[in-house]
Amino acid sequence: MGNIEIFRDHSLPHHQIISIADKVMVDIAQEYDLKLEWQGDKLHIQHAHTRGYLHADAESIRIKLKLGILLFPVSFVLKQSIEETLDELLPSAACSYR
């Protein structure tokens, strides 16, 4: 099984980072049939073959996914898709990688 971990620092207002986080995962959720549910600043991500979350706070966005064996073959593509969407939506001056 594989894990995906993505982390970006930012300096955006809370409402803006939540909006960006939502946009990032809605597209991915539709493509991979993921169920999303916000609980405070944490977006829980579920699927029969993956579980994880996206946590957006005042300083960072953190995405952690644990992929089951059936999604492991697409883990690289999935991670790349999330990173590309996130980096496209985050202003380059407002984020940094970890």
Side-chain angles (χ1 to χ4, degrees):
M1 291 192 258
N3 293 318
I4 293 175
E5 292 188 39
I6 300 168
F7 187 92
R8 298 289 188 274
D9 288 323
H10 70 84
S11 59
L12 299 172
H14 185 261
H15 72 280
Q16 191 174 357
I17 202 63
I18 293 295
S19 177
I20 288 172
D22 198 52
K23 287 178 187 174
V24 167
M25 292 312 300
V26 165
D27 290 343
I28 302 299
Q30 289 175 347
E31 186 173 344
Y32 291 95
D33 195 31
L34 303 174
K35 180 183 173 193
L36 306 175
E37 182 181 345
W38 278 103
Q39 292 178 353
D41 291 342
K42 193 177 260 190
L43 179 63
H44 294 271
I45 303 161
Q46 293 186 3
H47 180 272
H49 304 291
T50 191
R51 292 196 186 280
Y53 65 87
L54 178 153
H55 184 247
D57 62 28
E59 299 171 353
S60 65
I61 290 182
R62 179 182 319 256
I63 301 168
K64 287 192 174 189
L65 296 173
K66 185 172 185 171
L67 303 178
I69 196 153
L70 293 178
L71 285 181
F72 181 73
V74 299
S75 62
F76 176 78
V77 174
L78 179 57
K79 181 178 182 181
Q80 186 176 21
S81 180
I82 294 170
E83 287 179 326
E84 286 175 0
T85 304
L86 185 58
D87 293 341
E88 180 180 304
L89 294 173
L90 276 175
S92 59
C95 70
S96 64
Y97 298 80
R98 261 198 215 170

